[in-house]
Amino acid sequence: MTQDLARIRAFVQVFDAGGFSAAARIHGRSKALLSKYVTDLEDYLGVRLMNRTTRKLSLTEAGEAYYREVREILSQLDDLDATITEQSAAPRGILRVSAPRNFGESTLLEPLFEFTRAHPDVTLDLRLEDRMVDLVEEGIDVALRISKMSDTSLIARKIAETSVAVLAAPEIIKAHGAPATPEALKGVPCIIDTNMTGQANWQFIEDGKTVTVHVDGPVRVNSPVGALVAAKKGLGFALLPSFLVDSAVQKGELVPVLVDYLPQRPFLQAVYPHRRHLSGKVRALIDFLVDWFQTHPVNS
């Protein structure tokens, strides 16, 4: 089996390098050995895989089909070998993590830095930004998001529950009254966080069904902190993540409303590209965060 893999790997290396001499230089093997391996593979399969000339190397039709399949197999084997090695060793290397700025600064910095301190061979590259990052394109290992999964090219694991709240300053409640139902938000001033899914279309649960209410008001801002400040200034009702508003509620700066109509809680999720095998450092971080938030629940 080992020799069969060596022959297959030699075939792929020779074609990828563009010839026997180049493959020999790149991989530190003799040209004669690589040629023997490829010839032995062709003899075993009973078909020619490569057209060889002094100036050019190309694949036959059978060689092209064989190359596509075995290259994927070798990639999976290499991936599996790396994963097993990582799982049996301490996490190490650069770990690129993406997270939303406000939630990251308020809630994620402590556990992420605790993880880094516990794993000195890991270099944390943390990117806090309020945009949807393309994990594959930007080389991100894992994104921490408060959302519902929609991209089927990604995998998500639930880390912790979060919650949202509708709130307003006491003077707004005095001027417009506390809304008794979600529909009562129509026609009253609301603050719209354009970063939030749905933006001006707020979702609630009423009689077991999801209802959507379109709201409007004097402020549209692409920041939950901006929406929080506007709400405290008495500019309208705001739909905000609870981790941002607990202090304002305790101080009496904001008053929660429509508590019985709040939608299903969104989750803090670890999102990563669809790979056959998850790297050890990513797995270690996700397990660490799951354990962390079991004893440090997100405020709700």
Side-chain angles (χ1 to χ4, degrees):
M1 180 64 176
T2 301
Q3 194 168 11
D4 290 340
L5 281 175
R7 292 167 179 164
I8 294 170
R9 196 176 292 278
F11 163 68
V12 171
Q13 289 172 347
V14 167
F15 182 71
D16 285 344
F20 289 91
S21 297
R25 288 194 302 271
I26 294 171
H27 299 285
R29 288 181 168 184
S30 71
K31 178 181 176 181
L33 179 61
L34 290 173
S35 179
K36 179 181 185 304
Y37 276 160
V38 173
T39 300
D40 288 348
L41 180 61
E42 290 177 325
D43 290 343
Y44 171 77
L45 295 172
V47 64
R48 179 174 290 278
L49 300 173
M50 290 181 171
N51 295 313
R52 307 168 179 83
T53 67
T54 56
R55 303 178 65 178
K56 184 179 180 181
L57 182 147
S58 62
L59 296 179
T60 64
E61 183 177 351
E64 290 180 357
Y66 191 72
Y67 172 82
R68 286 194 299 269
E69 295 296 330
V70 297
R71 195 174 192 281
E72 177 64 21
I73 292 171
L74 290 176
S75 176
Q76 292 177 13
L77 286 172
D78 291 341
D79 186 20
L80 178 58
D81 287 347
T83 301
I84 296 301
T85 300
E86 283 189 353
Q87 289 176 350
S88 62
R92 62 188 308 112
I94 297 176
L95 180 58
R96 296 179 176 87
V97 179
S98 172
R101 180 175 298 278
N102 298 130
F103 186 70
E105 290 176 347
S106 68
T107 307
L108 291 175
L109 291 184
E110 187 175 357
L112 288 174
F113 293 157
E114 283 292 334
F115 173 83
T116 306
R117 188 169 69 170
H119 299 90
D121 292 329
V122 170
T123 299
L124 177 65
D125 181 355
L126 177 59
R127 297 141 186 225
L128 299 178
E129 46 195 346
D130 294 322
R131 65 183 180 89
M132 191 61 70
V133 175
D134 187 321
L135 273 63
V136 176
E137 183 71 21
E138 300 181 43
I140 302 297
D141 295 301
V142 59
L144 302 173
R145 296 175 178 169
I146 300 175
S147 65
K148 298 177 181 179
M149 275 299 298
S150 59
D151 189 340
T152 57
S153 69
L154 302 175
I155 304 174
R157 179 177 171 188
K158 175 184 171 182
I159 292 178
E161 287 188 346
T162 66
S163 61
V164 295
V166 178
L167 311 100
E171 57 263 39
I172 287 290
I173 300 292
K174 183 177 180 180
H176 298 277
T181 67
E183 288 289 323
L185 288 172
K186 292 182 177 180
V188 301
C190 292
I191 299 157
I192 299 164
D193 177 2
T194 56
N195 268 344
M196 183 171 289
T197 301
Q199 298 194 9
N201 297 303
W202 294 0
Q203 289 191 340
F204 299 90
I205 300 297
E206 190 170 7
D207 296 329
K209 298 179 181 180
T210 299
V211 296
T212 300
V213 177
H214 183 78
V215 300
D216 200 2
V219 176
R220 297 174 65 90
V221 58
N222 66 337
S223 162
V225 171
L228 170 64
V229 173
K232 291 196 293 185
K233 291 292 184 181
L235 292 173
F237 292 85
L239 177 63
L240 294 165
S242 292
F243 69 85
L244 278 182
V245 302
D246 287 336
S247 175
V249 171
Q250 291 170 6
K251 294 177 182 178
E253 297 173 313
L254 292 175
V255 178
V257 298
L258 298 172
V259 175
D260 294 334
Y261 295 92
L262 293 177
Q264 181 182 8
R265 293 183 170 194
F267 297 133
L268 169 61
Q269 300 185 90
V271 183
Y272 48 94
H274 196 300
R275 297 190 183 107
R276 186 176 295 271
H277 304 291
L278 186 61
S279 70
K281 59 189 176 184
V282 173
R283 187 185 303 278
L285 174 63
I286 294 174
D287 289 343
F288 182 91
L289 291 176
V290 170
D291 291 342
W292 174 274
F293 283 108
Q294 285 179 349
T295 56
H296 301 77
V298 180
N299 290 338
S300 58

